[in-house]
Amino acid sequence: MAERLQNKVALITAAGQGIGRAIAEAFIEEGCIVIATDVDAGKLQDLQPRKSIKLDVLSTAAVVELAKAIEAEFGGLDVLVNVAGYVHQGTVLECADRDWDFSFDLNVKAMHRTIKAFLPATLKKGGGSIV
């Protein structure tokens, strides 16, 4: 990454494990100001981001509140990394409506929530990246 992330502000959802964790660790190593979020804040305890925050991306109010706080403290994000997601285990025949609704809410609507909440400050700051 060649210091492209040095002093950039990034918010990473689902940073407690898996792909989100790996991205957070790589960004921190590159000198990025990482705001790591997860629905389970305990999974963030041994990570060394600038901030660790419990965030349920299914909650519009929680996402909007965090976006306002990030704008007030950092002027907005340079990078938004939407990692939170869910994959139903089983076939389409076994996927109940509640499973499909949850999957759609987390995999699609949560992305819309975070982009809608964080993009205005990112644009005011001069632009950034959404992953």
Side-chain angles (χ1 to χ4, degrees):
M1 285 188 238
E3 298 182 9
R4 288 180 29 203
L5 296 173
Q6 187 73 34
N7 297 317
K8 299 291 185 183
V9 179
L11 182 123
I12 304 168
T13 66
Q17 63 185 8
I19 293 169
R21 175 82 177 209
I23 292 169
E25 290 172 347
F27 279 29
I28 291 166
E29 188 173 313
E30 288 292 324
C32 189
I33 298 166
V34 171
I35 301 148
T37 71
D38 202 286
V39 71
D40 181 354
K43 293 179 179 177
L44 301 169
Q45 286 181 347
D46 60 338
L47 192 61
Q48 299 297 317
R50 175 70 64 91
K51 292 183 173 288
S52 296
I53 299 169
K54 178 178 179 163
L55 177 65
D56 181 357
V57 295
L58 298 176
S59 168
T60 300
V63 171
V64 168
E65 181 181 327
L66 181 56
K68 288 177 183 176
I70 298 302
E71 182 177 11
E73 185 170 352
F74 299 102
L77 297 177
D78 297 298
V79 183
L80 171 61
V81 184
N82 279 313
V83 181
Y86 170 78
V87 177
H88 176 265
Q89 301 299 309
T91 70
V92 69
L93 298 174
E94 299 163 330
C95 184
D97 283 351
R98 73 182 182 291
D99 298 322
W100 177 251
D101 290 342
F102 176 74
S103 181
F104 193 82
D105 197 16
L106 187 56
N107 296 338
V108 180
K109 289 172 66 179
M111 304 305 156
H112 177 259
R113 275 184 205 102
T114 57
I115 292 167
K116 187 175 180 179
F118 287 97
L119 186 58
T122 299
L123 292 173
K124 260 198 310 196
K125 192 174 181 180
S129 299
I130 300 172
V131 182

